[in-house]
């Protein structure tokens, strides 16, 4: 099969760029575009796609959550280096301009799972990707005057400040979103490079403390109006230990029924 050809349900695509986030070498930002006469297929915010590529004469694939908004003609992805050889490492070694094939996006981790009028987005590492897509879609709807959440708060946890993908974008969004929006970056390994203005705590523990999820009064009283208990969806995406920790801390509280997540492990 030539790089430009595709099987039923797949579309040709080009790897436009693949770069590590500035200041580190573990987390990569990837941009994929369609061909001039064959744009990328549509998708819902929160969905993922399988990318097919050739490396070393072998046909390989990666399933990645789309990080861009559905109205964007290109797709953003966040890809974490696993630290060992395999399909992910082979993908990260591809040159700009490499020919890909992409399957039509799939997945039920989408906006129709969110039923409450207030939204807490909680991401760990590359789990930020589908939540950024959701946030950008809510932003586009709000700017178009369409109904959407009354407020959104985003918690993003990373090991170091350099791994806080799209940090400047989210900080700028705090002042221009068409709805009340707050960004809460969290750093778990401050001994490596400090916190640089982020919360020096694991994201699951920061969330629980900020919302008063474990029986203590909320640490951040400003969030009580933005995210009222019992009327807020808490959307989770990240490492299994992060998701399991939040599920355990929410058990028996007003937040338990508000959790939205998918277990892929």
């Amino acid at each position: 099969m030539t790089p430009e050809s595709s099987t039923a349900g797949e579309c040709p695509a080009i790897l436009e760029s693949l770069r590590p986030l500035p200041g580190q070498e573990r987390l990569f930002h990837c941009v994929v575009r369609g061909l001039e006469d064959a744009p990328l297929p549509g998708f819902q915010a929160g969905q993922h796609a399988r990318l097919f590529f050739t490396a070393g004469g072998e046909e390989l694939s990666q399933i990645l959550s789309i990080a861009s908004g559905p109205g964007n003609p290109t797709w953003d992805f966040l890809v974490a280096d696993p630290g060992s050889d395999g399909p992910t490492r082979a993908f990260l070694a591809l040159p700009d301009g490499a020919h890909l094939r992409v399957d039509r996006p799939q997945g039920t981790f989408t906006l129709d799972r969110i039923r409450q009028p207030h939204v807490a987005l909680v991401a760990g590492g590359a789990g930020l990707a589908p939540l950024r897509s959701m946030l950008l879609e809510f932003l586009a709807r709000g700017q178009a005057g369409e109904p959407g959440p009354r407020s959104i708060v985003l918690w993003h946890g990373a090991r170091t400040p350099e791994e806080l993908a799209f940090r400047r974008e989210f900080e700028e969004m705090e002042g221009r979103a068409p709805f009340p929006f707050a960004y809460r970056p969290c750093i778990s390994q401050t001994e490596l490079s400090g916190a640089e203005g982020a919360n020096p705590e694991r994201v699951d523990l920061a969330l629980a403390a900020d919302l008063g999820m474990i029986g203590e009064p909320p640490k951040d009283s400003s969030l009580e109006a933005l995210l009222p208990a019992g009327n807020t969806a808490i959307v989770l995406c990240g490492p299994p230990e992060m998701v399991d920790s939040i599920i355990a801390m929410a058990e028996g509280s007003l937040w338990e029924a508000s959790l939205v997540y998918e277990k892929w492990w």
Side-chain angles (χ1 to χ4, degrees):
M1 181 180 295
T2 64
E4 292 81 4
S5 64
S6 60
T7 60
E10 297 174 7
C11 303
I14 300 292
L15 179 61
E16 185 168 285
S17 65
L18 180 58
R19 302 282 187 277
L21 298 182
Q24 55 84 62
E25 298 179 350
R26 196 186 74 90
L27 195 60
F28 289 71
H29 178 205
C30 168
V31 180
V32 171
R33 63 174 174 83
L35 306 185
E36 288 188 11
D37 58 347
L40 295 172
F43 68 94
Q44 296 183 58
Q47 289 189 315
H48 59 264
R50 183 183 291 273
L51 281 63
F52 300 88
F53 60 97
T54 302
E58 187 178 1
E59 288 288 322
L60 301 172
S61 68
Q62 279 284 283
I63 296 177
L64 298 170
S65 292
I66 303 171
S68 46
N72 198 315
T74 61
W75 289 355
D76 290 328
F77 298 97
L78 289 174
V79 188
D81 186 336
S84 59
D85 292 338
T88 302
R89 272 278 176 91
F91 180 79
L92 292 175
L94 291 175
D96 291 354
H99 287 260
L100 312 171
R101 303 189 317 279
V102 299
D103 214 345
R104 296 193 176 277
Q106 301 179 44
T108 59
F109 188 61
T110 51
L111 297 185
D112 56 9
R113 298 269 302 275
I114 299 175
R115 307 296 175 85
Q116 292 89 343
H118 304 271
V119 180
L121 302 174
V122 188
L128 176 68
L131 303 191
R132 177 180 183 253
S133 181
M134 292 178 178
L135 180 57
L136 292 176
E137 174 64 4
F138 281 137
L139 184 66
R141 291 182 183 183
Q143 291 171 337
E146 299 176 10
R150 297 178 189 171
S151 60
I152 299 178
V153 179
L154 168 64
W155 280 264
H156 181 209
R159 298 187 311 167
T160 67
E162 292 78 16
E163 293 181 4
L164 288 169
F166 308 111
R167 180 177 186 175
R168 179 174 295 181
E169 173 185 293
F170 297 136
E171 289 174 340
E172 293 176 350
M173 196 180 294
E174 284 188 297
R176 63 179 177 85
F179 41 73
F181 171 72
Y183 171 55
R184 295 289 189 270
C186 302
I187 298 301
S188 62
Q189 298 184 14
T190 54
E191 70 277 6
L192 297 180
S193 59
E196 295 185 13
N199 188 336
E201 194 170 25
R202 276 177 18 201
V203 66
D204 55 329
L205 300 179
L207 172 76
D210 285 344
L211 299 183
M213 190 178 286
I214 51 178
E216 299 291 333
K219 180 179 179 181
D220 190 339
S221 59
S222 68
L223 295 180
E224 289 188 83
L226 290 179
L227 303 176
N231 211 18
T232 296
I234 302 180
V235 187
L236 312 175
C237 190
E241 56 271 20
M242 180 205 87
V243 176
D244 287 341
S245 172
I246 294 172
I247 292 172
M249 288 188 289
E251 186 175 0
S253 74
L254 290 173
W255 305 101
E256 183 176 12
S258 302
L259 299 180
V260 178
Y261 58 91
E262 283 192 347
K263 283 200 170 186
W264 43 266
W265 57 92

